[in-house]
Amino acid sequence: MDENKLRFYREVRIKLKENKYDDEKFFNQYKKMARSTGGLEAAGEWHEFRKMMPDFQGKRVLDLGCGFGWHCRYAADNGAKAVTGIDISEKMLEKAKEMTESPVIEYILMPVEEVDYPSESFDAVLSSLTFHYIDSFRNMCKKIYNFLADGGYFVFSVEHPVFTAYGTQDWYYGKNEERLHWPVDRYFSEGLRKANFLGEEVMKYHKTLTTYINDLIWAGFEITGVMEPKPAESMLRDIPEMQDELRRPMMLLISAKKRKR
């Protein structure tokens, strides 16, 4: 990307939203997380998310909010002929490029809200834990539906509405710091929340399950799968604190298909 475009997207990024992932302190914490160092197999939802992925052989793939590029590389390794990863974070994309050798993958610095491609540019659109950072899911559904070829797949994960509703994204604790329960409040009041993530205040957007489902239907998608994943059995066995993940859903996974005209 030339310097003028790079400067433009830096300015757009600042105007559109907070971008915590380019904050040095926050990013240094994030890159130490298990899913950052161990990749897809270290992500608690991957054992279910993988099942929802389409056949990538010969496909054109777009990954919105690609981060370190794990899903881009997975698509390329499974036969995709062209993969485009979009992310707002320079630091994320720098790391993605360091880890990528495949010639079919291209990374682009851009807010996902600004993505614009001609009709039927892709056969599959992926997104992992990105849409809770943007205000309007409906606008994204409309764009993605247009990007996709007939019969194309849209597969994504978000933080579960039960997880995002209250905002703080932390447990209520007892006198001895035991985890008592997970707070859920203002569920039907969609919009901005201030969450605590990696010890920092991060801005996210709460949406109801109804919104995620109905916005997909409104855009013209056929929903093919919905999953509220539990951690993999190996994680429940090997990581004691993972047992608490069975007490409330943390993530929501949805797969959808563009109906053939």
Side-chain angles (χ1 to χ4, degrees), residues 114-167:
E114 294 295 298
V115 171
D116 190 19
Y117 285 98
S119 178
E120 303 190 11
S121 293
F122 299 98
D123 304 299
V125 175
L126 313 177
S127 184
S128 173
L129 302 177
T130 295
F131 295 134
H132 48 262
Y133 288 112
I134 68 171
D135 186 10
S136 176
F137 182 62
R138 175 165 287 207
N139 286 346
M140 291 306 307
C141 287
K142 182 179 179 181
K143 284 189 171 189
I144 292 164
Y145 187 87
N146 185 58
F147 298 159
L148 277 173
D150 286 350
Y153 283 89
F154 176 28
V155 183
F156 68 94
S157 66
V158 290
E159 290 181 348
H160 197 287
V162 166
F163 191 77
T164 61
Y166 188 71

Side-chain angles (χ1 to χ4, degrees), residues 20-83:
K20 206 71 177 179
Y21 291 89
D22 277 343
D23 177 270
E24 191 74 29
K25 180 181 176 183
F26 183 85
F27 183 76
N28 285 338
Q29 290 296 315
Y30 178 81
K31 69 183 183 180
K32 295 175 185 176
M33 292 180 67
R35 67 171 55 238
S36 299
T37 58
L40 299 179
E41 296 297 335
E45 77 282 8
W46 177 240
H47 65 294
E48 298 290 357
F49 203 30
R50 173 170 48 198
K51 298 173 187 175
M52 304 173 83
M53 293 291 168
D55 177 7
F56 289 113
Q57 192 64 44
K59 300 296 194 301
R60 302 161 298 165
V61 180
L62 175 66
D63 184 354
L64 296 172
C66 65
F68 286 175
W70 296 109
H71 294 92
C72 292
R73 291 188 291 278
Y74 179 81
D77 290 345
N78 283 274
K81 71 175 182 180
V83 182

Side-chain angles (χ1 to χ4, degrees), residues 53-214:
M53 293 291 168
D55 177 7
F56 289 113
Q57 192 64 44
K59 300 296 194 301
R60 302 161 298 165
V61 180
L62 175 66
D63 184 354
L64 296 172
C66 65
F68 286 175
W70 296 109
H71 294 92
C72 292
R73 291 188 291 278
Y74 179 81
D77 290 345
N78 283 274
K81 71 175 182 180
V83 182
T84 303
I86 303 290
D87 205 279
I88 195 174
S89 168
E90 289 182 70
K91 290 185 179 299
M92 288 282 203
L93 293 187
E94 286 172 3
K95 186 67 175 177
K97 290 173 182 177
E98 287 177 12
M99 301 168 70
T100 299
E101 297 179 357
S102 173
V104 305
I105 299 175
E106 176 188 23
Y107 294 112
I108 299 175
L109 178 69
M110 184 187 301
V112 296
E113 300 94 325
E114 294 295 298
V115 171
D116 190 19
Y117 285 98
S119 178
E120 303 190 11
S121 293
F122 299 98
D123 304 299
V125 175
L126 313 177
S127 184
S128 173
L129 302 177
T130 295
F131 295 134
H132 48 262
Y133 288 112
I134 68 171
D135 186 10
S136 176
F137 182 62
R138 175 165 287 207
N139 286 346
M140 291 306 307
C141 287
K142 182 179 179 181
K143 284 189 171 189
I144 292 164
Y145 187 87
N146 185 58
F147 298 159
L148 277 173
D150 286 350
Y153 283 89
F154 176 28
V155 183
F156 68 94
S157 66
V158 290
E159 290 181 348
H160 197 287
V162 166
F163 191 77
T164 61
Y166 188 71
T168 58
Q169 299 193 339
D170 199 3
W171 299 88
Y172 274 175
Y173 294 90
K175 293 180 180 179
N176 298 315
E177 293 300 308
E178 70 273 24
R179 293 174 174 179
L180 297 178
H181 56 264
W182 187 266
V184 177
D185 195 12
R186 298 185 297 148
Y187 181 84
F188 292 105
S189 299
E190 297 188 332
L192 195 63
R193 300 288 196 271
K194 294 180 180 179
N196 181 10
F197 182 36
L198 297 177
E200 299 280 337
E201 186 178 90
V202 178
M203 312 303 280
K204 298 182 181 182
Y205 290 89
H206 168 66
K207 304 170 185 69
T208 64
L209 181 60
T210 298
T211 289
Y212 284 117
I213 297 295
N214 282 347

